Amino acid sequence: MAALDPLTWAILLMLLGCALVVLEVFIPDGGVLSFFAAITVIASVVMAFRHDLTLGIGFVLLTLVAVPATLGLALKYWPHTPMGKAFLGELKSSEELNPVDARRALLGKVGVS
């Protein structure tokens, strides 16, 4: 079996690192998955630099964008998962979050004091 080139390793490790970041949000493990995610993302950047200097800089920039975006998307969808609902409780509806102001019903009415 032929060995994979550094570019292929860099792409695979970046995808694995982003997947581990997502798993870190969904699985309570005390930061072990975060540690492995950081190691794989760093290894991805190192492999990209082994392929080409410009590609290495591109992977550094990709890391600065992809990892926070992946984390943000995971945190956005986490409250809608069964574990997120169990942890946070049921999400309130928009009517519960924005109660009707009773004073609005009185606008334009004539009152007696």
Side-chain angles (χ1 to χ4, degrees), residues 2 4-5 14 19-20 27-28 34 36 42 54 58 60 62 67 74 87-88 92 94-96 104-105 107 113:
L4 298 175
D5 64 328
M14 181 62 71
L20 288 173
I27 300 174
S34 294
F36 287 121
I42 290 169
T54 306
V60 169
L62 176 69
V67 172
F87 188 75
L88 298 173
K92 295 183 178 183
S94 61
E95 291 83 25
E96 292 173 334
R104 286 189 178 192
L107 286 176
S113 59

Side-chain angles (χ1 to χ4, degrees), residues 48-108:
F49 272 111
R50 286 188 68 191
H51 185 269
D52 184 21
L53 178 66
T54 306
L55 186 68
I57 293 170
F59 262 75
V60 169
L61 296 175
L62 176 69
T63 300
L64 293 174
V65 172
V67 172
T70 303
L71 184 62
L73 284 172
L75 288 174
K76 178 181 177 183
Y77 291 110
W78 182 68
H80 303 289
T81 64
M83 187 178 75
K85 287 179 184 177
F87 188 75
L88 298 173
E90 283 296 317
L91 297 176
K92 295 183 178 183
S93 66
S94 61
E95 291 83 25
E96 292 173 334
L97 292 175
N98 299 324
V100 176
D101 190 3
R103 294 178 293 176
R104 286 189 178 192
L106 300 175
L107 286 176

Side-chain angles (χ1 to χ4, degrees), residues 11 45-46 68 73 82:
I11 293 169
V45 171
V46 168
L73 284 172

Side-chain angles (χ1 to χ4, degrees), residues 13-59:
L13 288 170
M14 181 62 71
L15 291 174
L16 178 63
C18 288
L20 288 173
V21 167
V22 170
L23 284 177
E24 175 63 35
V25 172
F26 295 112
I27 300 174
D29 67 340
V32 174
L33 287 175
S34 294
F35 174 75
F36 287 121
I39 294 297
T40 55
V41 168
I42 290 169
S44 170
V45 171
V46 168
M47 293 305 282
F49 272 111
R50 286 188 68 191
H51 185 269
D52 184 21
L53 178 66
T54 306
L55 186 68
I57 293 170
F59 262 75

